[in-house]
Amino acid sequence: MNNKELKTLIDKYQKGALSAEESVQLEQWLDAMADEQAFEALPEAEKEAARTQGYERLLARIDKTSRPTVIRRLFTNARSVKIAASVACLIIAGFLFKNSLLNVIAPHRLTAMTSTAGKIKKHILSDGSIVWLKGNSKLVFPVTFGNGSRTVTLQGEALFEVAKDAAHPFQIHCGTLTTTVLGTSFNIRSTGTETQVAVLTGKISLSAPQSGKIILLPNQQATYSEPAAAIAKDHNNSASVHELTKGTEYDMAFNDVRIADVVPRIEKKFDVEIDLQDAGIRNNLITADFTDQSLKSTMEMISQALNLEFEIKGRSILLKLKKES
């Protein structure tokens, strides 16, 4: 990433300066580099050597298939060997596979996740929002949200825990129905002809091109008919909170529970690792409801309740006794 020539290549890609053919071939080349098994098959000594020398040998070993013609030309002269070396450094540093490399080159590109029947898949979006994608569903979303609204598209059913951000509304498109929120939790179930939205916490608005806007509050739900282009509040809520949140880690309420038992729940929900620096912390009891709270908010609540302090570094969290002032 420190190599100016590599940055130039990435900038050209982002600005669309590469032709369509070159862009496709670049992505194909990255795809060819994304052979995890090929890389892992390298001897440890060769991996270490690749950190300081032998970049071309490493690339040749990883890239078992021929590189596209245009990309081959990009990396044939001495000047471009430096770019190849920088790419190899990126690979070794952790940007090993195609998706990771494309996250650097095109961070706002759309990607998708799908779930199979009877299975719930969890995904934490770039803003910290959590999506529990339920069976036979699909979510399309940006790898990284830009500076405008946070927009995703849903087919099927999902439970959303949206991170609060008043400056950047969160929008979910289900067919012609748009659900807009600032920070809340709710469930959306779409069959293609009908979409049902149930609010657990916060406030959301529903809108569609041929219908007016409807506001939903906690414990309220509404149904949108695609053929009729009409939204109507449901006066008899058919789905309970238990039904909507079943199979997720949404419920984070604790009553006199040891921190040692609370931590694994937090780790599982937010995909993090929490290190309790002082063994005595493990037996502290806590009564709190972290449901629908962000990771940072959860750690702040724990710290305030038990006179602790925490540090978040990426996916690792250190929880320790507060220093005496």
Side-chain angles (χ1 to χ4, degrees):
M1 284 300 294
N2 293 327
N3 188 292
K4 292 182 180 179
E5 292 174 316
L6 176 61
K7 184 179 184 302
T8 299
L9 180 63
I10 291 175
D11 287 343
K12 285 180 65 179
Y13 184 91
Q14 290 178 309
K15 295 175 181 177
L18 296 179
S19 68
E21 179 185 5
E22 289 173 326
S23 296
V24 169
Q25 289 179 323
L26 175 59
E27 292 182 2
Q28 289 176 342
W29 180 74
L30 291 175
D31 201 14
M33 291 177 62
D35 188 342
E36 180 178 4
Q37 293 182 343
F39 182 82
E40 291 304 322
L42 290 173
E44 288 300 322
E46 191 167 335
K47 290 180 185 177
E48 179 61 31
R51 290 178 171 85
T52 54
Q53 61 185 351
Y55 297 109
E56 286 301 297
R57 182 175 72 251
L58 173 65
L59 293 177
R61 288 286 300 274
I62 295 177
D63 186 6
K64 291 185 177 181
T65 60
S66 298
R67 299 180 196 170
T69 303
V70 173
I71 303 307
R72 190 183 300 115
R73 289 202 301 268
L74 285 173
F75 290 92
T76 50
N77 57 44
R79 165 179 168 275
S80 296
V81 166
K82 294 180 180 180
I83 299 178
S86 297
V87 172
C89 287
L90 281 176
I91 295 170
I92 297 168
F95 296 94
L96 180 57
F97 310 118
K98 177 187 176 184
N99 287 343
S100 296
L101 287 166
L102 287 179
N103 286 352
V104 175
I105 294 174
H108 303 314
R109 78 187 192 281
L110 292 178
T111 188
M113 63 179 291
T114 58
S115 59
T116 56
K119 300 291 185 180
I120 294 179
K121 292 182 68 175
K122 178 185 69 176
H123 185 76
I124 301 178
L125 300 175
S126 65
D127 66 337
S129 296
I130 301 177
V131 182
W132 310 92
L133 194 65
K134 301 184 181 180
N136 288 330
S137 300
K138 179 180 180 179
L139 183 75
V140 179
F141 58 95
V143 172
T144 302
F145 289 116
N147 295 324
S149 63
R150 301 170 287 167
T151 303
V152 302
T153 300
L154 172 68
Q155 297 174 12
E157 183 178 3
L159 173 67
F160 289 84
E161 293 185 61
V162 176
K164 296 175 176 60
D165 185 350
H168 302 93
F170 192 100
Q171 294 186 328
I172 304 98
H173 295 302
C174 284
T176 58
L177 178 71
T178 299
T179 301
T180 303
V181 302
L182 297 178
T184 183
S185 57
F186 53 95
N187 192 82
I188 298 182
R189 179 186 294 118
S190 177
T191 63
T193 58
E194 188 175 271
T195 300
Q196 187 180 72
V197 182
V199 178
L200 283 73
T201 61
K203 180 174 69 173
I204 68 174
S205 71
L206 304 179
S207 61
Q210 303 301 321
S211 65
K213 182 183 293 186
I214 284 185
I215 302 296
L216 292 182
L217 301 175
N219 302 315
Q220 292 184 339
Q221 65 184 43
T223 300
Y224 172 68
S225 171
E226 193 82 37
I231 308 172
K233 285 188 178 181
D234 299 334
H235 298 292
N236 296 318
N237 293 352
S238 58
S240 68
V241 173
H242 175 73
E243 290 175 315
L244 297 176
T245 62
K246 184 179 180 181
T248 74
E249 289 107 39
Y250 175 80
D251 184 3
M252 296 290 284
F254 302 95
N255 185 16
D256 279 344
V257 179
R258 294 170 64 243
I259 283 295
D261 297 321
V262 172
V263 163
R265 293 274 302 278
I266 298 173
E267 290 179 322
K268 185 177 181 181
K269 179 168 183 175
F270 294 102
D271 294 338
V272 295
E273 292 185 2
I274 300 177
D275 177 22
L276 301 180
Q277 188 179 63
D278 304 281
I281 298 175
R282 297 177 56 84
N283 294 319
N284 286 349
L285 300 179
I286 191 167
T287 296
D289 189 354
F290 306 127
T291 302
D292 201 31
Q293 296 294 326
S294 66
L295 173 62
K296 183 178 179 181
S297 177
T298 298
M299 299 311 300
E300 287 175 346
M301 291 171 69
I302 291 176
S303 297
Q304 291 174 5
L306 302 177
N307 196 33
L308 305 174
E309 58 185 11
F310 67 95
E311 296 177 13
I312 298 180
K313 294 183 178 179
R315 309 313 300 171
S316 298
I317 300 174
L318 177 64
L319 189 61
K320 56 187 178 181
L321 294 174
K322 183 175 291 187
K323 295 180 180 178
E324 295 294 337
S325 56

